[in-house]
C-alpha cells in the first residue's frame, strides 16, 4: 500500500453493508363502511444497493482514504391500502478508471473498471417482503401473515488503483523523469539530485495542439531486480501495466545507454510479459550536458534501430516539442 505524502492514494479497504428490505405489511382493511375488509398490506421496499461507479474526473482513491464503512439504508416497510414501502437509496462510490475491486476475505477478483461511467453493484440491497395482500387466494382469503424483508449483503473489499495514463515514464532513479513531467505538464513533482526522490506516482496532463491532451505518469525509478522487489519500482510497476506507451528515459551521462535500456526492458518483461507488447520510445535526457554530435551518433548506434530515439533536455527545452509530437503520433 502506498501512503500519501503527495495525496496519491492507490489502495483502500472498505467494509460495506447494503440495506435490508422492508417487511411486508399484514394489514387488514378497516374503515367506517367495512368492518372486516380483506388483506391490504403492501410490500416492503428494497434495501439500498451499494454501487461502485467509474468517474473519469477522479484520479486517485484519496476521497476514500478515511472511509472505513459504507452502509446503504434499509427499505421501508409496506403499509395499509397496498402501499409499498419506499426503496432505500442506493449509495454510489465514485472511483477512478483503472480501479480493481477484490473481496478481501477470499482475495477474489470482483471487477475492474476500464472505462468511464461503468457501474458495478457491489452489495445488493435486500428484497422487500411481500405484504399479506400478495398471499391472498381463493382458498385463503384472509392471510394474516406477510414476508420479512431480505437481509442486505456484507462484504469487505479492497479497491486498488492502476493508474491509467497514456504514457508511462520508465527509467533509473535520477534519470530526470520528474523533471520532464514538470516541464511538459502542469504537475509539480518533487525533483532531487539523489536517487528515489519520487516515492509515489505522479500524473500530469500534456496539453497538445487544438485542446487535445494526453496523460503521462511518472513512477519511482526502476533498478535491476525491481521485478523481485528491489528498490521501489516493483510496487509501482502495476501502474504502468495499463499505459499504452512506455517512454524509456535514460540520462546522456549514463555510461552504457544500450545496456541500461536492456536492463529496464528486462525488468519489465520479468514482471509481466505483456509489458513488452506496449509501444516504446527511447528518450535520452539531459542533452544540455553533451552536445557532441559524434558522441550522440555513437549512442544511437548502440540502440535498437526499430524504436524511435530522441535527445531532449528539460533544462534547455531541446527536443521537447518533437517529443510531444512523437508521443501524439504513437497514441493516435
Ligand atoms: N542538466 C540537466 N539536469 C537535469 C535535467 N533533467 C533533470 N535533471 C536533474 O537530474 C536530477 C534528477 O531529476 P529527477 O527529475 O528528480 O529524476 P527522477 O528520474 O525523477 O528521479 P527519481 O524520482 O529518483 O527516480 C535533478 O537534479 C534534476 O535537476 C536536464 O534536462 N538537464
Ligand atoms: Mg522522480
Amino acid at each position: 500500500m502506498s501512503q500519501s505524502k503527495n495525496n496519491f492514494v492507490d489502495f483502500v479497504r472498505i467494509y460495506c453493508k447494503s440495506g435490508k428490505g422492508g417487511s411486508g405489511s399484514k394489514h387488514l382493511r378497516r374503515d367506517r363502511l367495512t368492518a372486516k375488509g380483506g388483506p391490504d398490506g403492501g410490500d416492503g421496499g428494497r434495501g439500498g444497493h451499494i454501487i461502485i461507479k467509474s468517474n473519469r474526473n477522479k484520479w486517485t482513491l484519496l476521497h476514500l482514504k478515511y472511509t472505513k464503512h459504507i452502509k446503504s439504508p434499509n427499505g421501508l416497510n409496506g403499509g395499509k391500502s397496498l402501499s409499498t414501502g419506499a426503496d432505500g437509496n442506493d449509495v454510489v462510490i465514485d472511483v477512478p478508471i483503472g480501479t480493481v475491486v477484490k473481496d478481501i476475505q477470499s482475495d477474489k477478483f470482483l471487477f475492474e473498471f476500464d472505462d468511464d461511467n461503468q457501474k458495478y453493484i457491489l452489495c445488493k440491497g435486500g428484497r422487500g417482503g411481500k405484504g399479506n395482500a400478495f398471499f391472498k387466494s381463493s382458498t385463503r382469503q384472509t392471510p394474516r401473515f406477510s414476508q420479512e424483508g431480505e437481509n442486505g449483503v456484507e462484504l469487505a473489499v479492497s479497491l486498488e488503483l492502476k493508474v491509467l495514463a497514456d504514457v508511462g515514464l520508465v527509467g533509473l532513479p535520477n534519470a530526470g523523469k520528474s523533471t520532464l513531467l514538470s516541464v511538459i505538464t502542469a504537475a509539480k513533482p518533487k525533483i532531487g539530485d539523489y536517487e528515489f526522490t519520487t516515492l509515489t506516482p505522479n500524473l500530469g496532463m500534456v496539453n497538445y495542439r487544438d485542446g487535445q491532451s494526453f496523460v503521462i505518469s511518472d513512477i519511482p525509478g526502476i533498478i535491476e531486480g525491481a521485478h523481485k522487489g528491489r528498490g521501489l519500482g516493483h510496487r509501482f510497476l502495476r501502474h504502468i501495466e495499463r499505459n499504452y506507451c512506455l517512454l524509456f528515459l535514460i540520462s546522456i551521462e549514463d555510461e552504457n545507454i544500450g545496456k541500461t535500456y536492456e536492463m529496464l526492458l528486462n525488468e519489465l518483461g520479468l514482471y509481466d510479459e505483456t509489458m513488452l507488447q506496449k509501444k516504446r520510445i527511447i528518450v535520452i535526457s539531459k542533452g544540455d550536458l553533451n552536445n557532441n554530435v559524434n558522441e550522440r551518433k555513437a549512442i544511437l548506434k548502440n540502440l535498437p534501430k526499430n524504436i524511435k530515439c530522441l535527445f531532449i533536455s528539460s533544462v534547455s527545452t531541446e527536443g521537447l516539442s518533437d517529443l510531444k509530437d512523437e508521443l501524439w503520433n504513437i497514441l493516435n
Side-chain angles (χ1 to χ4, degrees):
M1 174 167 29
S2 44
Q3 277 311 317
S4 62
K5 272 204 191 76
N6 60 355
N7 288 345
F8 185 87
V9 175
D10 62 355
F11 188 94
V12 294
R13 289 192 181 92
I14 307 180
Y15 169 83
C16 297
K17 186 172 182 205
S18 57
K20 185 176 186 292
S23 304
S25 159
K26 298 180 198 146
H27 194 265
L28 300 176
R29 189 154 55 87
R30 297 271 183 279
D31 58 37
R32 272 192 306 135
L33 302 174
T34 330
K36 273 192 160 179
D40 71 345
D43 301 342
R46 170 176 70 71
H49 296 320
I50 297 180
I51 298 172
I52 309 184
K53 176 177 144 291
S54 49
N55 177 340
R56 60 192 293 260
N57 297 315
K58 290 259 180 270
W59 292 99
T60 74
L61 297 168
L62 176 65
H63 58 296
L64 298 172
K65 187 176 172 192
Y66 299 107
T67 308
K68 298 293 168 224
H69 295 89
I70 293 183
K71 267 194 81 173
S72 54
N74 296 338
L76 296 186
N77 296 338
K80 60 182 177 182
S81 311
L82 292 175
S83 76
T84 303
D87 290 345
N89 286 330
D90 296 338
V91 172
V92 179
I93 311 172
D94 277 357
V95 297
I97 300 168
T99 299
V100 176
V101 188
K102 280 188 191 157
D103 177 342
I104 291 178
Q105 210 175 9
S106 63
D107 199 34
K108 220 180 93 190
F109 166 91
L110 298 177
F111 196 78
E112 174 165 357
F113 294 88
D114 56 12
D115 203 352
D116 189 26
N117 216 7
Q118 290 173 329
K119 287 183 187 138
Y120 174 69
I121 302 185
L122 183 66
C123 298
K124 275 199 166 152
R127 263 179 311 193
K130 296 293 184 193
N132 60 355
F134 176 83
F135 297 103
K136 187 176 152 187
S137 66
S138 53
T139 54
R140 189 166 57 197
Q141 302 210 344
T142 316
R144 291 167 196 275
F145 59 89
S146 63
Q147 215 175 24
E148 276 284 293
E150 196 181 51
N151 279 326
V153 177
E154 294 180 47
L155 197 61
V157 292
S158 66
L159 303 179
E160 182 184 303
L161 173 64
K162 297 180 176 192
V163 169
L164 188 74
D166 302 304
V167 180
L169 291 177
V170 181
L172 285 170
N174 235 5
K177 299 179 294 298
S178 302
T179 310
L180 175 61
L181 188 79
S182 76
V183 296
I184 59 175
T185 77
K188 296 272 167 286
K190 188 168 167 194
I191 291 165
D193 61 356
Y194 50 91
E195 304 195 335
F196 297 114
T197 308
T198 301
L199 299 173
T200 56
N202 301 300
L203 288 177
M205 178 130 64
V206 178
N207 288 316
Y208 197 62
R209 293 177 195 136
D210 312 322
Q212 315 255 41
S213 60
F214 55 93
V215 175
I216 294 199
S217 68
D218 165 33
I219 61 168
I222 289 169
I223 57 175
E224 193 157 4
H227 73 281
K228 289 189 287 190
R230 272 195 78 209
L232 288 169
H234 156 78
R235 221 165 65 188
F236 300 102
L237 286 177
R238 66 183 152 90
H239 288 302
I240 48 179
E241 265 176 57
R242 299 172 58 91
N243 294 153
Y244 181 75
C245 162
L246 299 177
L247 189 164
F248 289 79
L249 193 70
I250 306 174
S251 167
I252 202 163
E253 293 195 304
D254 191 311
E255 274 160 21
N256 198 334
I257 293 178
K259 201 167 142 222
T260 297
Y261 170 69
E262 289 302 329
M263 184 283 286
L264 292 169
L265 200 58
N266 188 43
E267 285 302 326
L268 296 189
L270 289 171
Y271 172 76
D272 181 352
E273 273 185 15
T274 61
M275 295 273 208
L276 304 180
Q277 290 156 18
K278 293 179 190 300
K279 306 261 185 205
R280 292 174 220 153
I281 177 169
I282 302 175
V283 178
I284 312 297
S285 64
K286 312 193 187 182
D288 55 292
L289 298 179
N290 185 347
N291 278 316
N292 186 301
V293 179
N294 290 330
E295 286 181 35
R296 286 188 175 202
K297 269 191 191 149
I299 289 173
L300 291 181
K301 244 177 105 182
N302 280 320
L303 288 170
K305 302 287 164 293
N306 53 346
I307 295 177
K308 190 89 189 172
C309 181
L310 295 175
F311 289 87
I312 63 151
S313 165
S314 299
V315 171
S316 73
T317 75
E318 171 197 351
L320 296 182
S321 157
D322 287 348
L323 174 61
K324 287 196 234 178
D325 289 343
E326 203 54 54
L327 291 174
W328 184 255
N329 288 338
I330 293 175
L331 294 174
N332 294 282

